[in-house]
Amino acid sequence: MNRLRLNVAGYSLVTTMLVITIFFLLGLTTLTVAIQQARLTTVRVENVESFHEAKTALNEASAELKAELSDEQFLVSHGIFTPSQWDAFLGINEDAPGPDTMAGKLKARYGVNMEDVSYRLYNIPTNSVFLRALDLSKPFTDGHHERTVKRRIFLTNAPSFLKYALGSKETLVLNGGVYVEQGNVYAGRSAYISNAANYVKKGGELTVGPIDAGLPASTNDSIWHIHDKLLFSCTQTSSCWKAGNGAFQMEDGLFDEGWPANAVRPLIQQETDDFIDIDFDRTLKDKLLQAAGLSPLSPETQQSYIERIENDRQPPLDLARELYQEGKLARVETNAETPYEQSINQMPKDKPLWLDAEGEEITLYRDIDVQQNGQNQWLIVNGDLHIEGPMKSTATVRGNLIVFGDLMLTGNLALNASIYVTGKTAIYNSHIDGTDGKGLVLLSKGTLDIARINEFQNPSESPNLKGYFYTDSSATIYAVGSYLYIEGGLFARGNGTLAPDADRSGLVINAFRGRIEPKDGEPGNFIPSSDMQKSRLIIKYNPRVLVEQGTGLPFVNRISLVADRLEVK
């Protein structure tokens, strides 16, 4: 009996020890897992902190550089008069930038590296322009790997309007479902939005769309810079506007201050940077003089350049005629048997070309090549110009143009060009794409009118209009039956002139979000959509469209900074 009791007690002891061991192992395992999780959490926290530290350093470096450039007398106060002096100030193209250069300062203060990619990536002629593309970067630790956070910035003495996806220095009117896929919006005075969509029938009848066209929208990182946040909205569809007296007229009593309560509101704030404007005529004279070989950077031609560009009594057309008489422009000889395109393409391109139509209209139907050694040369046209591409193929235009008159673009066109127009510009029934990996920068002194582009086509995944479109006056854009996916931007400075078919000065956009079924060549059936990518006008701001045009861009006497998106590699 005692032996049985001893055996039971022995079994109990063994069982107890086994249970204790199991619990000990479980506790040890739990402790080990907890320690490992704590270590992983610590590593993750350190990785996140490392990334945010690098990101913050990059933002602070960009902000310091931007502040440095904000001085209105920046170039003069730093003694920068040539591109080589500009590079020396930045400290780029040096293995070890000095401590007094911007690259040296940003490296010492923030650990940020600065690399010049101007020529390597964009073929920018850095010996003759101030435009620079720079990569700011800083490494950070991600687990056992070292990664890099990077932001590409563009330093340019270009005017402010080139920073925005769309905008106006005066009034901005956005009717319907325009979508800003990338980039910021600017309104120098006030902005108006509505869910209406106006369009003009082929017979000229002004028509307000009968159905909710959607409200303007943008991505979360898009900033709407509106003066004093003066934004007004109307959601009464066909009552927001009325058509009469040859123009669409705003029903002011139906526009309430602020964004509609039931709509997604973008980030709206006052622009803190000064708006750097351009003088269109002065800019045009600058292009004429530099195209003719007279540069402010050359000691031999500097004085002549300054005297001529400062002569306010001489309009640009008179300057062009004078340069031709001096032999600095080559006249394009034409006759009834030879097409203009053939004459232009066969001409040597060692000088700018002067095509004098004496104020009459010239129509170009075929490819135009105004390049020398792969660089855009200038074609100067005295008269109205119509570039009419074919409907079943594409006409290619390479080279920069100055048009002393009106410009019309129609048909299928592929352009690598900067175009300056002293009159009005109209783009109708057209598909405009880039060529050679580049696009179009178009600047018009007169009004800009874009309509009937890719009519009744359904939205696609890729842009169908590559370029930046600016007018010194006002502009009206129609995308109801049309479909425009613009890679670049739209800006109407506004000068008091009313936009085409509108009662406001500035930029007026009419867009529908959804599908349109035609009836007798006009919008017949409206099928709305809540999908932003179904908008019939999408703006995707891309600063590369601007950088690619190099010397064709308008320039001012100040340097500004345009930042691209943050990248992690």
Side-chain angles (χ1 to χ4, degrees):
M1 189 70 177
N2 290 334
R3 184 178 299 173
L4 179 61
R5 289 175 178 172
L6 287 172
N7 287 339
V8 172
Y11 289 138
S12 299
L13 179 61
V14 171
T15 302
T16 302
M17 293 299 294
L18 182 60
V19 171
I20 292 173
T21 302
I22 291 172
F23 277 108
F24 175 75
L25 292 175
L26 287 173
L28 184 62
T29 302
T30 302
L31 179 62
T32 302
V33 171
I35 292 173
Q36 289 177 341
Q37 287 180 337
R39 287 176 177 173
L40 290 174
T41 300
T42 301
V43 171
R44 285 197 296 269
V45 170
E46 289 175 350
N47 291 343
V48 171
E49 289 178 346
S50 178
F51 168 70
H52 283 293
E53 179 187 350
K55 180 181 176 182
T56 300
L58 215 59
N59 289 336
E60 290 177 349
S62 299
E64 178 170 329
L65 181 55
K66 188 174 183 179
E68 184 77 27
L69 301 173
S70 63
D71 179 9
E72 292 187 9
Q73 299 298 320
F74 166 77
L75 294 174
V76 175
S77 60
H78 287 85
I80 299 174
F81 302 103
T82 66
S84 60
Q85 292 172 331
W86 176 222
D87 287 343
F89 169 82
L90 292 172
I92 54 181
N93 303 325
E94 298 180 15
D95 294 334
D100 294 333
T101 66
M102 285 307 305
K105 292 176 182 178
L106 299 185
K107 179 69 173 178
R109 294 174 186 173
Y110 308 105
V112 169
N113 299 310
M114 179 188 290
E115 179 188 3
D116 181 20
V117 295
S118 307
Y119 186 79
R120 177 168 60 86
L121 296 184
Y122 301 102
N123 199 30
I124 296 173
T126 54
N127 61 334
S128 59
V129 300
F130 284 81
L131 176 64
R132 296 292 181 269
L134 307 175
D135 279 348
L136 300 182
S137 63
K138 183 172 183 176
F140 69 96
T141 303
D142 185 4
H144 298 293
H145 305 284
E146 186 172 278
R147 302 179 68 186
T148 300
V149 60
K150 183 179 73 172
R151 168 166 281 157
R152 183 159 297 160
I153 62 172
F154 301 94
L155 303 182
T156 173
N157 53 339
S160 291
F161 71 82
L162 292 173
K163 299 191 301 182
Y164 304 104
L166 60 85
S168 172
K169 198 178 178 187
E170 290 193 351
T171 304
L172 177 65
V173 180
L174 303 180
N175 294 318
V178 57
Y179 177 48
V180 181
E181 184 181 56
Q182 183 173 313
N184 298 331
V185 178
Y186 183 86
R189 289 190 179 176
S190 56
Y192 296 84
I193 66 169
S194 78
N195 63 347
N198 302 328
Y199 61 97
V200 182
K201 292 184 177 180
K202 291 181 179 179
E205 180 184 350
L206 304 182
T207 308
V208 178
I211 195 168
D212 188 345
L215 284 169
S218 59
T219 52
N220 292 333
D221 58 354
S222 177
I223 301 175
W224 293 46
H225 299 284
I226 300 175
H227 176 68
D228 288 341
K229 300 183 180 179
L230 291 175
L231 183 139
F232 304 87
S233 61
C234 173
T235 56
Q236 301 298 313
T237 312
S238 57
S239 299
C240 298
W241 294 81
K242 66 178 181 180
N245 299 323
F248 293 105
Q249 298 172 350
M250 183 182 293
E251 294 285 12
D252 293 305
L254 294 178
F255 281 80
D256 300 319
E257 188 166 355
W259 200 273
N262 59 345
V264 178
R265 183 180 185 271
L267 177 60
I268 300 175
Q269 65 183 38
Q270 176 81 36
E271 176 63 276
T272 55
D273 294 340
D274 292 337
F275 190 93
I276 304 174
D277 217 338
I278 68 167
D279 182 320
F280 194 93
D281 284 354
R282 188 182 181 92
T283 298
L284 199 56
K285 290 167 72 171
D286 168 73
K287 296 307 169 193
L288 285 167
L289 291 167
Q290 297 215 39
L294 302 175
S295 170
L297 305 178
S298 169
E300 293 79 16
T301 62
Q302 187 179 74
Q303 187 61 36
S304 176
Y305 171 91
I306 293 173
E307 289 176 354
R308 287 177 154 180
I309 202 168
E310 294 291 346
N311 184 1
D312 294 333
R313 292 172 296 177
Q314 184 180 40
L317 179 56
D318 287 352
L319 175 60
R321 289 191 176 111
E322 187 177 278
L323 292 172
Y324 166 67
Q325 292 169 357
E326 293 174 4
K328 292 182 170 62
L329 310 180
R331 184 184 183 92
V332 178
E333 300 296 341
T334 61
N335 55 62
E337 290 76 29
T338 306
Y340 288 114
E341 300 91 333
Q342 182 177 334
S343 299
I344 293 168
N345 294 338
Q346 291 177 347
M347 290 276 296
K349 307 302 188 303
D350 54 334
K351 294 180 181 180
L353 304 185
W354 170 249
L355 179 56
D356 193 353
E358 299 179 351
E360 300 297 324
E361 181 177 283
I362 292 175
T363 302
L364 305 177
Y365 301 95
R366 304 171 184 84
D367 293 351
I368 300 295
D369 189 352
V370 193
Q371 287 191 334
Q372 183 181 34
N373 300 324
Q375 299 296 319
N376 284 358
Q377 182 56 281
W378 291 85
L379 170 64
I380 303 162
V381 179
N382 180 24
D384 296 338
L385 178 63
H386 181 188
I387 302 179
E388 183 176 348
M391 299 309 296
K392 294 184 179 180
S393 58
T394 301
T396 301
V397 178
R398 294 180 173 92
N400 298 332
L401 283 73
I402 294 175
V403 180
F404 288 103
D406 297 338
L407 173 69
M408 178 178 286
L409 301 179
T410 59
N412 294 325
L413 300 169
L415 298 105
N416 165 13
S418 292
I419 303 179
Y420 290 79
V421 185
T422 63
K424 299 181 293 184
T425 299
I427 304 176
Y428 293 136
N429 297 314
S430 186
H431 176 109
I432 296 178
D433 203 350
T435 186
D436 310 322
K438 300 182 180 182
L440 167 68
V441 175
L442 189 149
L443 299 99
S444 178
K445 187 174 184 180
T447 56
L448 173 64
D449 193 359
I450 301 179
R452 298 193 175 275
I453 309 295
N454 307 305
E455 277 195 293
F456 309 119
Q457 289 186 10
N458 292 324
S460 64
E461 296 181 355
S462 58
N464 59 19
L465 195 61
K466 184 177 182 180
Y468 202 101
F469 303 87
Y470 166 88
T471 170
D472 214 43
S473 181
S474 296
T476 299
I477 316 298
Y478 292 102
V480 180
S482 300
Y483 170 62
L484 294 90
Y485 187 166
I486 298 176
E487 182 180 11
L490 289 165
F491 199 97
R493 183 183 182 276
N495 58 4
T497 301
L498 298 180
D501 310 321
D503 65 346
R504 292 292 188 274
S505 172
L507 176 61
V508 179
I509 290 178
N510 297 281
F512 179 77
R513 182 179 298 125
R515 187 161 54 92
I516 296 288
E517 294 178 349
K519 181 179 180 181
D520 299 327
E522 304 290 355
N525 191 18
F526 296 78
I527 301 112
S529 173
S530 59
D531 184 355
M532 300 305 171
Q533 291 298 141
K534 301 299 183 184
S535 295
R536 303 193 69 80
L537 176 55
I538 300 176
I539 310 289
K540 183 180 181 181
Y541 178 75
N542 186 350
R544 297 188 182 191
V545 174
L546 308 174
V547 171
E548 290 161 356
Q549 285 307 315
T551 56
L553 292 178
F555 295 132
V556 291
N557 292 322
R558 292 175 60 181
I559 302 290
S560 59
L561 182 151
V562 179
D564 212 342
R565 289 184 171 182
L566 204 70
E567 296 181 1
V568 178
K569 294 186 176 181

